[in-house]
Amino acid sequence: MLAARVTARNTHRLAARSFATVVDTAGLKVATADASQPTSAVTVLVKAGSRFETKPGVANALKNFAFKSTAKRSAIGTVRESELYGGVLSASLTREHLALTAEFLRGDEQFFVDVLSSFVNSAKFTRHEFEEYVTPLIEADTAAANVDPATYAVEVAHALAFRSGLGASLFAPSHSSLTAEDIKDFAKSAFTKGNIAVLGSGIDQSVLSQLVEKSFASTSASATASSSASKYFGGENRIEAHSGPQTVFIGYGTTGAPTPELAALAAHISPAPSVKWSQGTSSFAAAVPTSASVQSVYLPYSDATLVGLLVQASTAAEVKVAATAAVAELKKAATGLSAEDLKKAVAKAKFAAASTAESREGLVTALGSQVLSGAPTTLDAKLAALDGVSAAAFTKTASALVKGKPTYVAIGDVNSLPYADEVGL
């Protein structure tokens, strides 16, 4: 009886971390999740990620242009008014979406929805703001990515795996020729009703729908953004670097909608222990040098998925040992898992999905794209799909994945770091 009550209570909590039924308001998709918290957030999610950009770096530039001057407010006016309300404005970019977010005290939604809509509908994209404020931000993003071996490795891996589309970088080239007009043109094509979903948390669905209907009435109804279907290629690249740890990325890609089997595979190959500061119980975890770091990478997109492991250590020799163990674990998983190992993998994947949805940003990341596509937007649906993973389906998916061409990136001392064939690929 007690177990049943606990299960029912947990189910209710999970349901609270899912978006309500999606409604179409003024041609836009609107969804909310309201757990009666004292603060609210509204995110305008736009199909304006790097895969849709018309010029290298323009998506990153548009992200950094967020909340600058519009027909209603100057950039400093937006900052000052937001501070008076105690709110926080932010923008983030993925390969498929640009997210413009306002977080604020419950009851202040009218002002902040107006701030978001004014940028979408009437941003000025002035040249002086581009040169004085936006360009330094673009350059800082690129510089930070280039000196972080982990970020750099994942960027290079995408370029190898998908070439164009999803292969486009989240960052602008070091010597970019972008202009304010380029950004303005990209924004014009991206900010259309078919490309936008408005997601709210801590706000009533009817209240948000009314505000969206009023604030986004003038938003263009032009054609939605499109990109060619993703194709997976794979390949190997080695890049000399003199800062940060020695780094290797080992991965495989697949096209089509992400599957729960791939999520379970990513969970299975992770050597991260369940108890902090301890070593995992798997043979893979035992084979990794204690000074090396191995992270599972699972990057699902609308029509492709990249799965792999990021290996880092202070020396190339340690990287080689850990990378060899990583490849062996991937290949071993492709032959099938025991019932106990599959159960653990599914449980870890479910926990990862559920814990992601615990935060506002995670909820938008996990379910926002489904709002745009019209797919089910509940966490329960994700967990149910993972519960349905069978041993046969897992083996079939993992086997097909590792039969493809691997994606291998080495960053650091390339004279010492192993080549792909030296770690078992």
Side-chain angles (χ1 to χ4, degrees):
M1 180 67 75
L2 177 60
R5 287 200 297 268
V6 171
T7 300
R9 187 163 62 247
N10 289 343
T11 300
H12 174 73
R13 288 173 179 170
L14 290 177
R17 302 307 303 161
S18 303
F19 283 123
T21 303
V22 180
V23 298
D24 286 321
T25 302
L28 291 86
K29 295 185 183 299
V30 179
T32 63
D34 190 2
S36 300
Q37 57 265 53
T39 62
S40 304
V42 174
T43 295
V44 175
L45 194 68
V46 189
K47 288 176 65 176
S50 58
R51 77 173 296 175
F52 300 108
E53 63 186 11
T54 52
K55 194 171 182 179
V58 72
N60 179 275
L62 179 58
K63 180 206 74 170
N64 284 307
F65 232 123
F67 311 118
K68 300 299 185 290
S69 296
T70 68
K72 284 192 173 183
R73 301 173 183 87
S74 65
I76 191 64
T78 297
V79 171
R80 285 175 174 171
E81 289 185 65
S82 298
E83 287 179 344
L84 285 173
Y85 282 95
V88 177
L89 301 173
S90 61
S92 60
L93 183 71
T94 67
R95 285 184 155 73
E96 296 194 301
H97 302 108
L98 168 67
L100 306 169
T101 300
E103 299 173 82
F104 46 88
L105 291 170
R106 184 183 281 266
D108 292 337
E109 53 271 2
Q110 183 173 348
F111 169 75
F112 285 99
V113 170
D114 186 65
V115 169
L116 293 168
S117 64
S118 64
F119 177 69
V120 170
N121 293 328
S122 64
K124 291 185 175 180
F125 299 107
T126 60
R127 190 175 70 178
H128 77 274
E129 286 183 321
F130 173 67
E131 294 175 351
E132 294 178 24
Y133 306 123
V134 178
T135 296
L137 295 175
I138 297 171
E139 293 173 347
D141 278 354
T142 301
N146 288 342
V147 298
D148 179 5
T151 301
Y152 197 10
V154 172
E155 286 297 302
V156 175
H158 277 84
L160 286 172
F162 304 111
R163 297 183 184 176
S164 59
L166 290 174
S169 177
L170 292 173
F171 307 96
S174 297
H175 302 286
S176 175
S177 60
L178 286 172
T179 66
E181 283 299 314
D182 293 329
I183 304 166
K184 184 176 182 179
D185 291 342
F186 179 61
K188 184 178 180 180
S189 65
F191 290 157
T192 66
K193 290 184 176 180
N195 287 337
I196 297 174
V198 181
L199 315 173
S201 65
I203 184 172
D204 183 79
Q205 175 100 34
S206 61
V207 171
L208 183 58
S209 293
Q210 290 173 5
L211 290 172
V212 167
E213 185 173 9
K214 176 183 178 181
S215 300
F216 289 86
S218 62
T219 303
S220 171
S222 302
T224 60
S226 61
S227 172
S228 57
S230 295
K231 295 181 181 179
Y232 176 71
F233 298 93
E236 181 176 357
N237 200 349
R238 304 169 65 78
I239 299 170
E240 184 75 26
H242 303 286
S243 62
Q246 304 298 307
T247 302
V248 160
F249 175 87
I250 302 161
Y252 290 89
T254 182
T255 55
T259 66
E261 289 78 16
L262 289 173
L265 173 62
H268 170 71
I269 61 177
S270 172
S274 295
V275 179
K276 196 172 184 180
W277 308 121
S278 67
Q279 187 178 51
T281 59
S282 69
S283 57
F284 174 33
V288 175
T290 55
S291 57
S293 165
V294 180
Q295 300 176 58
S296 176
V297 177
Y298 173 60
L299 298 169
Y301 300 103
S302 60
D303 64 347
T305 304
L306 188 62
V307 180
L309 291 154
L310 185 70
V311 182
Q312 294 186 295
S314 58
T315 68
E318 290 173 321
V319 167
K320 184 176 182 179
V321 172
T324 301
V327 172
E329 185 67 15
L330 269 169
K331 291 185 174 181
K332 180 182 176 183
T335 64
L337 299 183
S338 66
E340 181 180 351
D341 284 341
L342 180 61
K343 183 179 180 180
K344 288 193 294 185
V346 169
K348 288 173 69 175
K350 287 173 66 179
F351 178 80
S355 59
T356 296
E358 281 296 302
S359 67
R360 281 173 169 153
E361 183 180 356
L363 187 64
V364 170
T365 300
L367 301 176
S369 60
Q370 297 175 21
V371 174
L372 270 171
S373 65
T377 57
T378 65
L379 179 59
D380 286 343
K382 284 199 167 206
L383 301 185
L386 285 164
D387 278 329
V389 173
S390 67
F394 179 92
T395 303
K396 181 180 179 181
T397 299
S399 175
L401 188 73
V402 301
K403 285 179 181 177
K405 187 176 181 179
T407 295
Y408 183 85
V409 180
I411 296 179
D413 181 3
V414 295
N415 292 317
S416 302
L417 284 169
Y419 285 84
D421 60 345
E422 293 177 329
V423 296
L425 291 172

